[in-house]
Amino acid sequence: MKFKVLSSERALKDLNKLSKIDRKRIYEELEKLEEPFKLDIKKLKDNIYRVRVGRLFRIIIEIDFENQIVWVAKIDKRERIYDRL
C-alpha cells in the first residue's frame, strides 16, 4: 500500500539547515516514506511516529490511514527532536 508524502514548512526549514551530506541521507529516507512500515519506525503516540535515519537524525511523521497520507512534521537531531512533541 503506497502513501502520499507531504511535508510541513517546518520540516523543509529543518532540512535546509543541514549539511549537504545529511540532507542527502534524509532525502533518501523521505523517498521511502511511500511505504513507511518497511522503514525503522516507532509509534510515539496516536498516529505520530518517528523514523530513524542513522544514529543521529530522526523524522517525526503523522500517518493518516484513511486518506493514505504521510505528513512529515519535523526533522532534527535525536537529542532535540523529542523536546516539543
Side-chain angles (χ1 to χ4, degrees), residues 10-79:
R10 167 71 189 251
L12 295 175
K13 284 181 184 179
D14 293 341
L15 193 58
N16 286 331
K17 292 178 187 176
L18 302 177
S19 70
K20 188 175 182 178
I21 294 169
D22 293 332
R23 218 174 318 163
K24 183 178 184 234
R25 290 178 58 209
I26 302 277
Y27 274 129
E28 289 171 359
E29 289 299 311
L30 291 175
E31 289 173 358
K32 297 176 189 175
L33 281 176
E34 290 180 347
E35 298 179 271
F37 295 102
K38 291 186 176 181
L39 300 173
D40 182 7
I41 70 169
K42 181 179 177 183
K43 186 173 187 170
L44 299 176
K45 59 183 177 181
D46 299 328
N47 291 337
I48 298 175
Y49 296 80
R50 71 98 173 115
V51 179
R52 183 174 181 240
V53 182
R55 295 178 66 202
L56 190 59
F57 292 99
R58 301 292 184 267
I59 302 170
I60 301 297
I61 61 173
E62 186 172 341
I63 300 177
D64 180 354
F65 292 99
E66 188 175 308
N67 298 314
Q68 294 186 335
I69 295 174
V70 173
W71 180 257
V72 179
K74 196 173 175 184
I75 301 168
D76 208 345
K77 290 186 177 181
R78 184 185 72 198
E79 63 264 7

